[in-house]
């Protein structure tokens, strides 16, 4: 069982729509949750972090965390073509020697 | 400015050669990581280090070696035993436990 799972996509949405990206994790001891955006050929950049249950909003981005369901999501409102990228979910915590885990990413395409 | 610097940005290796990828950080972070990314794929963990003079194998350590003689530096050597080394290599670091990872700009390695 993978520690962090994401739907690989691709996910296509029209410009101006809401894009919804989902992530589940296996370790109930996980503490922190992050969303990274990665453009093709570039390194990942952090766009959202969330540490407690509920929603966290930052501009057009909203992260949602449900620790009981071991589920974290990212909503992108008013999607723009510049949002087209791969979105990586990352989780830290747990009891292992390595406590940083990434999902394989969801590729998002925003269609003008 | 604090950050992670990877060099070189592009690297070409001949068959049978060992090559070393540099990763330096001035963030005073304890933990450092090396990932490999193949086209259209997620991040795969090669090695990680949580303190100086200590490191652990990740999921795909075969054919790679690392050292951590200084807190700031975590070089990765791709040995001739790695039969398919062409990929994008990313170095990352984390500070306090359960905080976000910061990435370098990556090194693209190609076998010629």
């Amino acid at each position: 069982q993978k520690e962090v799972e994401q739907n690989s996509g691709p996910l296509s949405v029209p410009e101006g729509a809401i894009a919804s990206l989902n992530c589940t994790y296996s370790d109930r001891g996980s503490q922190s949750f992050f969303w990274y955006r990665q453009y093709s050929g570039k390194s990942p950049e952090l766009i959202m972090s969330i540490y407690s249950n509920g929603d966290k909003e930052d501009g057009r981005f909203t992260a949602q965390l449900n620790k009981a369901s071991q589920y974290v999501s990212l909503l992108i409102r008013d999607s723009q073509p510049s949002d087209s990228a791969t979105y990586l979910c990352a989780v830290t915590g747990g009891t292992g020697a390595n406590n940083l885990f990434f999902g394989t990413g969801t590729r998002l395409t925003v269609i003008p | 400015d604090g950050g992670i610097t990877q060099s070189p940005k592009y690297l070409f290796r001949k068959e049978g050669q060992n090559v070393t990828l540099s990763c330096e950080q001035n963030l005073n972070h304890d933990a450092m990581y090396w990932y490999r990314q193949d086209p259209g794929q997620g991040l795969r963990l090669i090695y990680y280090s949580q303190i100086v003079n200590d490191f652990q194998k990740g999921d795909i350590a075969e054919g790679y070696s690392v050292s951590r003689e200084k807190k700031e530096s975590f070089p990765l050597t791709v040995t001739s035993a790695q039969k398919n080394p062409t990929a994008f290599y990313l170095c990352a670091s984390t500070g306090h436990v359960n905080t976000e990872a910061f990435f370098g700009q990556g090194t693209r390695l190609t076998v010629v």
Side-chain angles (χ1 to χ4, degrees):
Chain A
Q1 181 183 7
K2 292 184 178 179
E3 289 84 359
V4 181
E5 297 208 44
Q6 295 181 251
N7 186 328
S8 61
L11 173 66
S12 295
V13 299
E15 184 174 355
I18 296 175
S20 177
L21 306 164
N22 304 314
C23 172
T24 58
Y25 59 95
S26 60
D27 191 334
R28 286 192 172 275
S30 298
Q31 301 285 328
S32 307
F33 308 86
F34 307 98
W35 284 99
Y36 289 81
R37 177 176 61 200
Q38 186 179 25
Y39 292 114
S40 181
K42 303 295 185 181
S43 63
E45 57 178 326
L46 181 70
I47 55 171
M48 288 290 288
S49 59
I50 187 165
Y51 304 96
S52 56
N53 281 330
D55 295 359
K56 179 181 178 182
E57 186 174 320
D58 184 0
R60 295 186 297 110
F61 299 99
T62 299
Q64 299 174 317
L65 175 62
N66 184 327
K67 290 188 176 181
S69 300
Q70 296 174 242
Y71 176 92
V72 59
S73 66
L74 179 70
L75 300 178
I76 306 174
R77 290 182 301 281
D78 189 23
S79 295
Q80 301 297 308
S82 59
D83 295 325
S84 298
T86 296
Y87 289 81
L88 300 169
C89 174
V91 173
T92 70
T95 57
N98 175 33
N99 71 345
L100 173 63
F101 299 98
F102 284 88
T104 54
T106 298
R107 183 173 179 84
L108 172 67
T109 300
V110 180
I111 303 168
Chain B
D1 288 337
I4 301 179
T5 301
Q6 288 186 243
S7 62
K9 188 173 180 180
Y10 299 97
L11 185 58
F12 298 90
R13 192 194 92 166
K14 294 182 180 179
E15 295 281 352
Q17 268 187 341
N18 291 354
V19 291
T20 297
L21 284 60
S22 171
C23 178
E24 303 276 335
Q25 53 100 359
N26 60 4
L27 300 167
N28 199 33
H29 283 175
D30 288 315
M32 297 186 74
Y33 307 79
W34 274 106
Y35 295 94
R36 169 179 172 146
Q37 189 174 40
D38 293 284
Q41 304 298 312
L43 304 178
R44 290 192 289 170
L45 182 63
I46 305 172
Y47 269 98
Y48 63 101
S49 168
Q50 295 184 330
I51 57 172
V52 175
N53 293 323
D54 187 45
F55 48 83
Q56 288 79 38
K57 293 181 179 180
D59 300 318
I60 57 164
E62 185 175 352
Y64 300 98
S65 65
V66 294
S67 63
R68 188 85 186 276
E69 297 177 0
K70 299 185 300 182
K71 188 176 185 178
E72 303 80 24
S73 179
F74 191 40
L76 173 74
T77 297
V78 184
T79 74
S80 57
Q82 172 50 243
K83 298 307 179 186
N84 184 24
T86 295
F88 188 47
Y89 291 86
L90 286 160
C91 179
S93 71
T94 58
H96 298 296
V97 175
N98 296 322
T99 57
E100 68 268 26
F102 291 79
F103 285 88
Q105 74 270 35
T107 293
R108 190 165 300 279
L109 174 63
T110 303
V111 174
V112 295

